[in-house]
Amino acid sequence: MLALRLARRAHPVVQLRRLLVAAAAGGTGFLLLCALGHAMAHPHAPAGSVLRLAWCVAPAAATVYFAVTVARTDPGTRPRPGLSAIGLGPGRLMAISAVTTALSTVLGSLLALLFFLHLRGDLTGLPFDGAATDALAAGRPLPLPAALTLLGVVPAVASVTTALVLRPKDTGARTTGPRARFMAYDTFAIGRRTAPPAGATRYEEEPDEEGATTPEAQEPTEPPAPRPAPSGLPWGITVLAVGLALETYAGRSGDRSGLSLPGGFADSPAGVLGGWLLTALGLVLTGPGLTHLTGRLLQSVRPGALRLLAGRVLQEEARRIGRPLGLVCAVASGAYAMVTLSSGVRPTVGPLTLLGALVVAGCAVLTLATAAVEARRAHADTTAALMRLGAPRALPRRAALLRAAALLAVFGPLTWTIAQLAALPLAA
């Protein structure tokens, strides 16, 4: 009940994000139901039905990733001081986030079921002159337990993943220590006092009995260590190279037998598709490391305030925006391959494949946009401190544009190169 009240009283932007999660869950649920309809219409071809069901893994994973990102950036379930006194501790807020995610995804799944039943003619007459009769097994009784089981996969996985990601952790040292003031105080030396050099004694003025202030010696203060670089860059490059090698080897092999994927991709070599999946995984793994490296390059060769601010923010937010950025690059390379194949002698892309591609691409772009908004809020203290010091108001905007240009300069050519290399074996 509390989750419903929080969901109803949320900001319109937050409500829009939840509706987008429901839309993504609805698209994925409709694809799962179409796989069930294909199994009902073709009971003697189980391999094709299993393949269509496996084809839904990518939209389901993208939907879950987007739902978890939206739950992590929900301001209504963010831990704040004083909430524990009324019974809203970190554990309770985690449970509310999981329930809210489940409500959004269940809403989308129910809409998918209604639309599926409408196309089958179970609610009214057959629409579109019965064009979808064969794909949806119209006229056959729908096994409701199987349909509900398929529709419950995305809400269950999304809510459990949200609970695991937002589970309470021992962050006392991180929230009260130097890391909490990284962007506003430690990096740019902004605050009421700057820390003395390492090994020196820090004095803090405290009022005496007459109201005057006298220095009181405290423990030596050490500056906080910089956040280490993400460690997934070597693994990502390795997986990326293995995927390209596997795709090239499978594309040049003489065996032309392959998988008949939905949407007209007939006789697609399994090795080529497996190699492309490894390539996409490699791009996701290399995203944080490349983002951190881009931030370091921005600060090289005597940086000014603008490049220093943009580079430090990229390094600090590399883990947050790196993986969504890598996912967008993987989706872009896959879209390029689909466009290349569709313009050749192969059949055109079917509506179900187009729906799956839209769900994956939309979730990837929306996840990146949500992560960017979260990163902007994370270093809002830095922007406020710079404004108090008299920095130009255009400085944060120019730093954001510089970060976007730097990321585009690094990830743009990489995505185009990977797309070209991945499309060559498929086009052959």
Side-chain angles (χ1 to χ4, degrees):
M1 186 62 67
L2 180 59
L4 287 174
R5 291 179 180 178
L6 291 176
R8 183 170 56 89
R9 296 176 179 272
H11 193 272
V13 177
V14 179
Q15 298 284 23
L16 177 61
R17 293 176 189 170
R18 292 170 180 169
L19 290 178
L20 291 174
V21 170
T28 304
F30 183 77
L31 291 175
L32 292 171
L33 291 177
C34 288
L36 177 62
H38 183 273
M40 295 167 53
H42 304 84
H44 302 292
S49 302
V50 172
L51 184 60
R52 286 176 177 266
L53 189 61
W55 188 250
C56 300
V57 172
T63 301
V64 170
Y65 192 22
F66 177 48
V68 172
T69 304
V70 170
R72 191 176 62 238
T73 58
D74 191 348
T77 57
R78 187 174 302 165
R80 291 183 295 272
L83 291 181
S84 298
I86 59 174
L88 293 178
R92 185 76 178 276
L93 292 177
M94 177 268 296
I96 293 175
S97 298
V99 172
T100 304
T101 302
L103 290 176
S104 301
T105 50
V106 165
L107 175 62
S109 299
L110 291 179
L111 292 177
L113 179 60
L114 292 177
F115 187 66
F116 182 76
L117 294 176
H118 172 68
L119 292 181
R120 277 172 46 91
D122 295 337
L123 301 180
T124 57
L126 283 173
F128 307 113
D129 297 329
T133 301
D134 182 67
L136 305 181
R140 300 174 182 265
L142 179 67
L144 192 58
L148 294 180
T149 300
L150 289 177
L151 290 177
V153 170
V154 172
V157 175
S159 58
V160 171
T161 307
T162 300
L164 292 177
V165 171
L166 300 180
R167 67 187 184 276
K169 302 175 183 178
D170 185 14
T171 58
R174 223 185 317 170
T175 56
T176 59
R179 175 58 60 185
R181 302 184 304 273
F182 167 76
M183 296 302 299
Y185 300 98
D186 298 322
T187 304
F188 304 101
I190 298 171
R192 286 178 289 184
R193 283 185 195 87
T194 56
T201 302
R202 183 165 62 97
Y203 291 92
E204 184 173 318
E205 295 182 354
E206 292 189 357
D208 56 11
E209 297 179 354
E210 299 179 356
T213 57
T214 56
E216 180 183 353
Q218 294 187 355
E219 297 295 331
T221 303
E222 293 290 339
R227 185 183 292 271
S231 58
L233 185 58
W235 289 103
I237 294 176
T238 302
V239 174
L240 188 62
V242 171
L244 290 175
L246 178 60
E247 187 177 354
T248 304
Y249 176 78
R252 292 182 178 179
S253 62
D255 186 14
R256 305 310 303 170
S257 61
L259 304 175
S260 297
L261 298 178
F265 295 102
D267 294 333
S268 300
V272 172
L273 297 174
W276 184 84
L277 290 177
L278 286 178
T279 302
L281 178 61
L283 285 173
V284 174
L285 293 177
T286 56
L290 286 179
T291 304
H292 192 276
L293 181 60
T294 303
R296 175 174 292 184
L297 291 177
L298 279 177
Q299 304 173 70
S300 60
V301 192
R302 302 179 64 182
L306 179 62
R307 286 198 292 138
L308 182 63
L309 177 62
R312 289 294 176 90
V313 170
L314 275 183
Q315 285 184 314
E316 183 70 12
E317 305 298 333
R319 290 174 175 83
R320 182 173 291 157
I321 66 175
R323 288 189 179 89
L325 189 57
L327 180 61
V328 169
C329 294
V331 171
S333 62
Y336 178 85
M338 291 180 64
V339 171
T340 301
L341 294 180
S342 299
S343 61
V345 296
R346 303 225 177 176
T348 57
V349 178
L352 295 182
T353 304
L354 182 60
L355 175 60
L358 288 177
V359 170
V360 173
C363 289
V365 174
L366 291 174
T367 301
L368 178 59
T370 305
V373 172
E374 183 184 10
R376 180 182 179 183
R377 289 180 178 176
H379 55 80
D381 291 340
T382 303
T383 304
L386 290 174
M387 295 300 101
R388 287 195 300 268
L389 288 178
R393 293 190 175 273
L395 180 62
R397 191 180 308 111
R398 291 168 56 192
L401 292 176
L402 181 59
R403 291 194 300 269
L407 291 175
L408 183 61
V410 172
F411 283 90
L414 175 65
T415 304
W416 185 83
T417 303
I418 297 300
Q420 290 283 349
L421 295 177
L424 285 178
L426 290 173

